[in-house]
Amino acid sequence: MKKLLVYAVMVFVFVASCGKGEVKKVSEDSKIATEAFALAEKIRDAYVKRDISGIESNTTRDGFRTISSTLKTFDSVVLTFTPAWVEIEGNVVHLNISWKGTWQKSGKITEERGMAVFVLKGRPLKVDNILRANPFRYPTE
């Protein structure tokens, strides 16, 4: 009888603790990080499609200059971004992205990979600069 009572209490406690419909709010930092990831994908997608206006609409004036000044011509590209880390310092967001790309130009294939830091500013976020290994400067020849 004792075992049954102990078992019944344990089941009651378990059901009571799991039965709460509490929903946790998403933090502001989480929202900013999600927005930063989505922005990086928009820029990557516009680059792959060679959509200069798409790049321009998602960058600041300086950010657009950073990207457009390094753009090279290519026949096709496969570029993947893997977000690695987000730092939020006031109004500036640093998004660390590991990237891997394969460019084809005139039958020649170039494969590169690296780690870039996208500096994002404003509301909504826009790319203001790209530090370290800029994925948009390939193929080099």
Side-chain angles (χ1 to χ4, degrees):
M1 183 72 173
K2 273 186 175 179
K3 287 183 182 180
L4 185 59
L5 183 60
V6 171
Y7 179 71
V9 170
M10 288 176 51
V11 168
F12 176 75
V13 169
F14 179 73
V15 169
S17 67
C18 293
K20 296 183 182 182
E22 224 176 293
V23 177
K24 295 187 180 196
K25 290 186 176 183
V26 177
S27 72
E28 189 62 28
D29 287 353
S30 178
K31 289 178 186 177
I32 291 171
T34 301
E35 182 184 350
F37 298 153
L39 176 61
E41 278 303 309
K42 284 181 190 175
I43 296 288
R44 184 201 62 77
D45 189 51
Y47 171 74
V48 167
K49 293 177 179 176
R50 296 181 214 139
D51 177 10
I52 300 301
S53 65
I55 293 172
E56 187 172 17
S57 67
N58 289 292
T59 55
T60 63
R61 184 175 299 167
D62 290 338
F64 181 69
R65 217 174 299 136
T66 297
I67 294 173
S68 64
S69 67
T70 61
L71 288 177
K72 306 288 194 259
T73 59
F74 53 85
D75 298 327
S76 66
V77 62
V78 175
L79 182 62
T80 57
F81 283 175
T82 304
W85 186 258
V86 176
E87 278 184 41
I88 303 168
E89 299 170 356
N91 295 331
V92 179
V93 177
H94 290 92
L95 173 61
N96 293 266
I97 292 181
S98 173
W99 58 267
K100 185 176 182 180
T102 305
W103 290 261
Q104 184 170 358
K105 179 181 178 182
S106 304
K108 183 180 178 192
I109 295 177
T110 303
E111 292 185 15
E112 293 290 338
R113 63 183 175 173
M115 177 69 83
V117 179
F118 285 45
V119 179
L120 313 175
K121 292 183 179 176
R123 280 270 145 224
L125 290 174
K126 292 190 176 208
V127 175
D128 188 58
N129 198 0
I130 299 175
L131 309 174
R132 299 188 66 190
N134 185 341
F136 306 118
R137 68 179 194 94
Y138 294 96
T140 54
E141 292 179 21

